Amino acid sequence: MTRIAVVTGGTGGIGTAICSALCQQGRRVVATFLAGEEASAIAWQQQMKTQSFAVDVYPVDITSFTSCQQLIERITADIGAVDILINNAGITRDGTLKKMPVENWLAVINTDLNGVFNMTRQVFDGMLTRGWGRVVNISSVNGQKGQFGQTNYSAAKAGVHGFTMAAAQEGARKGVTVNTISPGYIGTEMTLAMAEEVRQQIIAQIPVGHMGKPEDIARTVAFLCDEAAGFITGADFSINGGLHMG
Ligand code: CAA
């Protein structure tokens, strides 16, 4: 039986590595992309095909409950029921609290926290009914420790793990696991958006001496989605090069 996996933000930096890892694990993988970015999503799909990864791509706005509902209805009709959900899509709008516009607060909460509810709510009941499911929420080291300039992002990402722990309890007796991965600084477009000077200051604080790679995260996602990983639930996996030790 081929399990169907949906990866939000699947065409992004960490998302691409997650899609590749799940394909290698034998899953049927669907990557979502931000509605309106169709051309680059198709180009990404072609690129994945050259590496023998057949990934379906679907648009969604994860800040909209209705958009998520329509997405899952389409995937269910076109391919089948969703067994694995990776809530990976996220944004940053960094800035100190004293200057943060309410729009930047709401954009991050709506995407990084409400997006996790909007997506998981569509698939969770089906997973419980079928007696098997895997949900992996991508949070952040900055949700665990807080970060100067990220009150919005730290709040949303801390909230994600609260969601994980509660949903894990609801899924536990029905074969559905829910876990969090908290990446540290990974070399993607998101970390490149920081000023070079700030980036260098952060790298200097990472005990291993460099940023992580998307594959460092993807490997653990695949591990948690394994058939044999059913005893691991409600956990938060820190993958941060030693930046924060809980
Ligand atoms: N700790 C304490 N004080 C700090 C500081 C820090 N880390 N960084 C800056 N400051 C101080 C400055 O010295 C300055 O002090 P004075 O006012 O006394 O001179 C003051 O804060 C500057 O405040 P501003 O509001 O003017 O800040 P800014 O506009 O210069 O920069 C910022 C704010 C854009 C948020 C910048 O600090 C920044 O980029 N920080 C990094 C945020 C970060 O880590 N983002 C991660 C993105 S990647 C990601 O999120 C992925 C993941 O999951 C890890």
Side-chain angles (χ1 to χ4, degrees):
M1 174 203 204
T2 304
R3 305 247 188 227
I4 298 167
V6 173
V7 183
T8 67
T11 62
I14 294 177
T16 300
I18 293 173
C19 289
S20 305
L22 292 175
C23 285
Q24 279 168 336
Q25 199 181 39
R27 310 312 193 179
R28 173 86 186 256
V29 180
V30 176
T32 77
F33 61 93
L34 188 58
E37 294 183 354
E38 185 110 30
S40 57
I42 300 292
W44 175 89
Q45 187 182 37
Q46 294 302 324
Q47 175 61 29
M48 291 294 276
K49 213 175 257 174
T50 64
Q51 298 166 62
S52 305
F53 297 136
V55 182
D56 295 283
V57 290
Y58 284 75
V60 71
D61 172 4
I62 62 163
T63 68
S64 158
F65 187 81
T66 308
S67 175
C68 294
Q69 197 169 28
Q70 288 166 350
L71 168 79
I72 297 303
E73 281 169 9
R74 277 187 64 196
I75 294 172
T76 306
D78 294 351
I79 306 172
V82 177
D83 304 302
I84 297 169
L85 173 64
I86 316 301
N87 285 308
N88 164 71
I91 61 167
T92 53
R93 293 284 184 277
D94 293 354
T96 50
L97 177 58
K98 65 182 179 185
K99 295 188 206 161
M100 185 173 291
V102 67
E103 293 76 20
N104 287 2
W105 170 264
L106 291 175
V108 170
I109 298 294
N110 283 335
T111 305
D112 296 8
L113 180 58
N114 294 341
V116 172
F117 167 77
N118 290 338
M119 282 299 298
T120 312
R121 177 68 180 81
Q122 316 302 337
V123 298
F124 202 64
D125 191 23
M127 290 176 178
L128 297 176
T129 304
R130 292 187 302 278
W132 198 92
R134 298 281 184 266
V135 179
V136 180
N137 297 320
I138 306 300
S139 179
S140 167
V141 64
N142 293 341
Q144 298 172 309
K145 72 168 189 58
Q147 169 59 36
F148 186 100
Q150 286 198 309
T151 49
N152 48 4
Y153 188 80
S154 298
K157 292 299 193 179
V160 165
H161 189 55
F163 176 95
T164 290
M165 293 187 291
Q169 294 182 34
E170 296 187 18
R173 286 181 186 268
K174 306 280 181 186
V176 180
T177 69
V178 187
N179 289 288
T180 297
I181 295 177
S182 292
Y185 286 77
I186 307 295
T188 64
E189 268 180 37
M190 189 180 267
T191 49
L192 277 174
M194 290 186 293
E196 179 59 21
E197 190 194 336
V198 176
R199 224 153 52 86
Q200 291 310 326
Q201 282 166 6
I202 285 172
I203 291 171
Q205 293 166 25
I206 304 173
V208 302
H210 56 81
M211 287 199 188
K213 295 192 292 293
E215 292 72 23
D216 293 324
I217 307 306
R219 208 173 290 122
T220 303
V221 171
F223 169 75
L224 291 172
C225 293
D226 197 272
E227 301 294 319
F231 200 59
I232 308 172
T233 196
D236 185 359
F237 290 77
S238 298
I239 306 178
N240 60 35
L243 179 61
H244 177 69
M245 301 179 188

